[in-house]
Amino acid sequence: MNDQLLMENDTGHIINKRNKCIVRRASKNVTVVLSSYNEETSIGSIILLTRLYADRVIVVDDASSDQTAEIAKKAGAEVIINRTNRGKGASFETGFKAAVHLGADIIVTMDSRGHHNPDDIPRLIDPIITGSADVVNGTRHLNNVNSNIPVYRRVRQTILSRFANKKSDKIKDSQVTFRAFTASTKDIIHLDAQDPAIESEMLADAGKSGLRITEVKIGAYYNFEDPVQDPVKYLFGVLKTVVRDIEANKPLYFYAVPGFALATCGFYMGLKFLEACILGIENLHFGPILLMVFLSVAGVYMTVTGIVMHSLVEVTQTEAT
């Protein structure tokens, strides 16, 4: 983390000299929400640094088995404990509701492992304070610190960002957790996606609803204390996320296109079998008949399903706008 360069002026505002931003606590209540799972080694220092820039820190402990919740309380955070592990999306949803209930004007989400520097909070919230944005996305791609990100994480960011940009504004970094929201977005941003997709889905909801989205430069820090992940399993999870994304948002491609191909194969087989029987070239056998029927029925079913789901998606998007 960079050294903090802070000073307080006569109005009680905290000025970050490095970022050249002002945290106007007198007019805006800034609440930071952290979703944490077994983060006892980092959560305390993150909270202490974050409290320099926020009026309140809410930690949603996602059924940790270590001392995360206890350390968070001692560091001065409001702590909510999930009895079962519900994932990042559900934890953020709980944190958002609590923040609004406690009077937050601006809600900031951050990583609880130290990947983000609380020193960047003033820069992140400044567009909201000045009234130029409803959602501010932190981007690592404008900072050379991005080179520290593991290769398999960069691959994930590239893949998911491409899909996110098809559903929202052209965002350079759709997979970052470090973001700021106006409190009024609580009922617009849906946090029910699976963890690998939660960041991009948040931006997609904001884009569909016409919210003003902007990006600011942040740093990203990765160190050897991060849990080691199998890159193959990690990227396989990303591909599963992409498949779910296509199923939910592009059902014509997911169902109708392959369904039409299967139905075409089934009907073609049926015509060839019928031609063979009429000409007396060969007799129909049970196996080919069964395959023909399966391809035809499955293809028609998938095609109809894709068309119906596409219609529902179109209606939902129209209502959202």
Side-chain angles (χ1 to χ4, degrees), residues 160 194-198 200 236-246:
L160 294 184
Q194 297 295 320
D195 280 4
I198 183 63
S200 58
F236 181 72
V238 173
L239 293 177
K240 288 175 60 179
T241 299
V242 171
V243 171
R244 285 197 299 265
D245 180 88
I246 296 174

Side-chain angles (χ1 to χ4, degrees), residues 262-278:
L262 291 178
T264 300
C265 290
F267 294 150
Y268 178 77
M269 289 177 63
L271 290 175
K272 297 299 290 185
F273 285 143
L274 183 60
E275 179 185 19
C277 289
I278 293 175

Side-chain angles (χ1 to χ4, degrees), residues 17-278:
K17 294 167 68 178
R18 181 176 73 84
N19 291 336
K20 298 180 180 179
C21 295
I22 299 176
V23 181
R24 297 177 173 84
R25 293 187 182 174
S27 60
K28 297 289 184 180
N29 182 296
V30 180
T31 297
V32 174
V33 176
L34 301 173
S35 171
S36 299
Y37 177 69
N38 291 342
E39 310 294 353
E40 62 179 10
T41 60
S42 60
I43 193 67
S45 59
I46 294 299
I47 293 171
L48 292 174
L49 288 173
T50 300
R51 289 180 63 196
L52 294 173
Y53 304 99
D55 297 279
R56 179 177 284 106
V57 179
I58 297 176
V59 173
V60 182
D61 180 71
D62 202 18
S64 297
S65 58
D66 62 6
Q67 301 299 308
T68 296
E70 291 78 1
I71 294 174
K73 289 178 182 178
K74 291 180 180 178
E78 306 282 343
V79 179
I80 302 172
I81 301 176
N82 292 336
R83 294 185 178 181
T84 58
N85 188 278
R86 301 176 59 200
K88 186 193 299 183
S91 295
F92 276 147
E93 182 176 27
T94 299
F96 266 59
K97 291 179 179 178
V100 173
H101 178 73
L102 294 173
D105 298 308
I106 300 174
I107 302 172
V108 176
T109 59
M110 278 179 54
D111 179 86
S112 57
R113 292 178 183 156
H115 292 171
H116 304 135
N117 191 344
D119 188 36
D120 289 326
I121 291 177
R123 182 190 296 114
L124 194 73
I125 67 176
D126 194 60
I128 294 179
I129 292 177
T130 58
S132 60
D134 302 303
V135 177
V136 182
N137 187 62
T139 177
R140 300 158 289 193
H141 298 307
L142 299 178
N143 194 311
N144 57 12
V145 181
N146 185 53
S147 61
N148 293 330
I149 301 176
V151 174
Y152 66 91
R153 288 182 180 271
R154 287 185 232 170
V155 173
R156 173 207 189 217
Q157 293 166 13
T158 300
I159 293 174
L160 294 184
S161 291
R162 286 184 180 274
F163 278 87
N165 286 338
K166 293 179 180 179
K167 300 182 292 179
S168 59
D169 293 334
K170 294 297 182 182
I171 299 297
K172 293 183 177 64
D173 193 355
S174 69
Q175 296 305 301
V176 69
T177 305
F178 200 12
R179 291 174 179 161
F181 306 82
T182 60
S184 60
T185 63
K186 177 183 71 70
D187 297 323
I188 299 175
I189 305 297
H190 299 99
L191 301 168
D192 53 357
Q194 297 295 320
D195 280 4
I198 183 63
E199 287 87 0
S200 58
E201 286 303 315
M202 292 166 77
L203 290 179
D205 287 339
K208 292 175 184 176
S209 301
L211 297 177
R212 297 168 299 166
I213 307 173
T214 191
E215 283 190 301
V216 298
K217 181 178 67 176
I218 63 169
Y221 305 85
Y222 290 85
N223 52 55
F224 294 106
E225 295 180 358
D226 291 333
V228 179
Q229 299 187 44
D230 183 345
V232 175
K233 291 183 179 179
Y234 187 85
L235 294 178
F236 181 72
V238 173
L239 293 177
K240 288 175 60 179
T241 299
V242 171
V243 171
R244 285 197 299 265
D245 180 88
I246 296 174
E247 179 185 9
N249 296 284
K250 299 292 183 181
L252 277 179
Y253 293 103
F254 190 83
Y255 289 108
V257 172
F260 181 78
L262 291 178
T264 300
C265 290
F267 294 150
Y268 178 77
M269 289 177 63
L271 290 175
K272 297 299 290 185
F273 285 143
L274 183 60
E275 179 185 19
C277 289
I278 293 175

